[in-house]
Amino acid sequence: MNFEAIKSIYAFEMARTRRTLLQSIVSPVITTSLYFIVFGAAIGSRMQEVQGVPYGAFIAPGLIMLTLLNQCIGNGSFGIYFPKFTGTIYEILSSPISMIEIVIGYVGAAATKGLIVGTIILITASLFVDISIKHPFMMVLFFVLTAVSFSLFGFMIGIWAKDFEQLNLFPMLIVPPLVFLGGSFYSIDMLPPFWQTVSHFNPVLYLVSGFRWSFYEIADVNPVVSLVTVLGFLLVCLSITAWIFKTGYKLKN
C-alpha cells in the first residue's frame, strides 16, 4: 500500500477546501439556519410535535443528512472530474498508484469534508432546537457509512460526467427531491397508503429514518433494514468502481 500517494491525494483535496471556506463551510451553515427559520418557525408553529418529538428537533437529522449527501456527492464528483477535465488524470493513472489507493485518497477526502460540514450543521442545529442522541454509536456509524457511500457515489459520477452539466445533474436535480420526499421534514405515516408504499422505493428514506432513530428512537423503517440498505449501497458502489478501473470506462481514450 502506497501511503505516501494516498496522503498526497488526500492533502491536495483537503487543501482545496481550505481555499474555499466560504463556499464549503459558511454557505451550508447559512442554508441550514434558513431551513430552521422557515420550517421550524413557520411550519413548527402549526405542527408542534411529530411522533412525540418537537417538530424543529424532528427535522434536524433530515437537514444534516441533506447537507451530508450534497457535500459528499459534490466533493467526490468534482475531486476526480477536475483532473479528468484538465488531463492530469492520465498522470495519476500512469503513476505507480493502485486503484484502491486512488479511491482511498479521493473518497477519503470527500468523506472527511462531508463529515466536517455535517458536524458543523449538527452544532448549528443544536443552537435552534434541543437535540438528544440516544444511540451515539449508531449515529456515528450511519454518519460515517453514509459519508463514505455517497462520496464513492460522487466519485463515480465524476468519472461518468463528460461536462459540468452532467456533473451537477445528481446533486442539483436528483438528490434534493429524494431527500425532501424521503421523510426529512415529515413522517411517512402522515401520507396516504399509496404514497407510503411509493416512499419505500426511495433509498434516502432508509438513510434519514435510520439516522433519526439514532437520535430519538423513532423511525419509519426498521433501523436494521436501514443499516443493511446503506451497506448494500456501499457494496454496489465499490463493485461499480472496481469495474470502472478494470475496464477503463471514461478514463481511457
Side-chain angles (χ1 to χ4, degrees):
M1 183 71 72
N2 190 342
F3 291 104
E4 194 62 35
I6 296 173
K7 178 184 174 182
S8 298
I9 295 173
Y10 182 88
F12 179 82
E13 288 298 302
M14 293 305 295
R16 182 161 55 83
T17 301
R18 291 193 294 271
R19 294 193 298 268
T20 58
L21 281 178
L22 189 65
Q23 174 187 349
S24 302
I25 306 296
V26 179
S27 178
V29 171
I30 294 175
T31 302
T32 302
S33 300
L34 290 174
Y35 273 123
F36 273 108
I37 292 171
V38 174
F39 285 91
I43 300 178
S45 62
R46 295 170 175 80
M47 188 185 301
Q48 296 297 325
E49 291 187 349
V50 178
Q51 297 181 357
V53 177
Y55 183 72
F58 179 85
I59 66 174
L63 288 175
I64 296 170
M65 195 59 65
L66 172 62
T67 303
L68 184 65
L69 296 187
N70 279 328
Q71 287 291 317
C72 290
I73 292 176
N75 288 317
S77 59
F78 188 81
I80 191 64
Y81 176 79
F82 194 71
K84 239 180 62 172
F85 178 74
T86 59
T88 55
I89 184 68
Y90 301 111
E91 297 179 7
I92 298 174
L93 294 175
S94 61
S95 61
I97 308 175
S98 68
M99 177 270 289
I100 295 176
E101 291 157 358
I102 294 173
V103 171
I104 291 175
Y106 281 108
V107 173
T112 300
K113 287 183 273 189
L115 290 170
I116 290 173
V117 176
T119 302
I120 293 174
I121 297 304
L122 176 60
I123 295 171
T124 303
S126 66
L127 300 177
F128 289 89
V129 295
D130 292 327
I131 294 178
S132 62
I133 304 175
K134 296 188 176 181
H135 300 279
F137 175 78
M138 291 300 294
M139 189 276 283
V140 173
L141 183 62
F142 272 109
F143 205 33
V144 173
L145 283 177
T146 301
V148 174
S149 299
F150 281 85
S151 294
L152 190 58
F153 182 60
F155 184 83
M156 291 161 42
I157 293 173
I159 294 176
W160 165 78
K162 64 179 182 181
D163 51 39
F164 284 98
E165 182 178 359
Q166 288 188 348
L167 188 69
N168 292 318
L169 178 65
F170 279 85
M172 297 298 293
L173 295 179
I174 297 178
V175 172
L178 288 177
V179 175
F180 278 102
L181 298 174
S184 299
F185 301 101
Y186 57 87
S187 169
I188 64 169
D189 292 338
M190 300 176 177
L191 300 175
F194 172 77
W195 290 109
Q196 289 186 32
T197 303
V198 171
S199 295
H200 281 88
F201 290 96
N202 181 354
V204 177
L205 170 67
Y206 299 87
L207 305 179
V208 174
S209 178
F211 194 56
R212 181 177 288 129
W213 176 84
S214 68
F215 281 77
Y216 311 119
E217 290 187 334
I218 58 173
D220 293 314
V221 181
N222 189 306
V224 175
V225 176
S226 297
L227 185 59
V228 170
T229 301
V230 178
L231 289 172
F233 182 72
L234 177 60
L235 290 175
V236 170
C237 290
L238 285 171
S239 300
I240 296 175
T241 304
W243 173 82
I244 287 173
F245 277 91
K246 182 179 180 180
T247 60
Y249 174 75
K250 294 279 188 166
L251 291 175
K252 300 177 182 178
N253 290 329

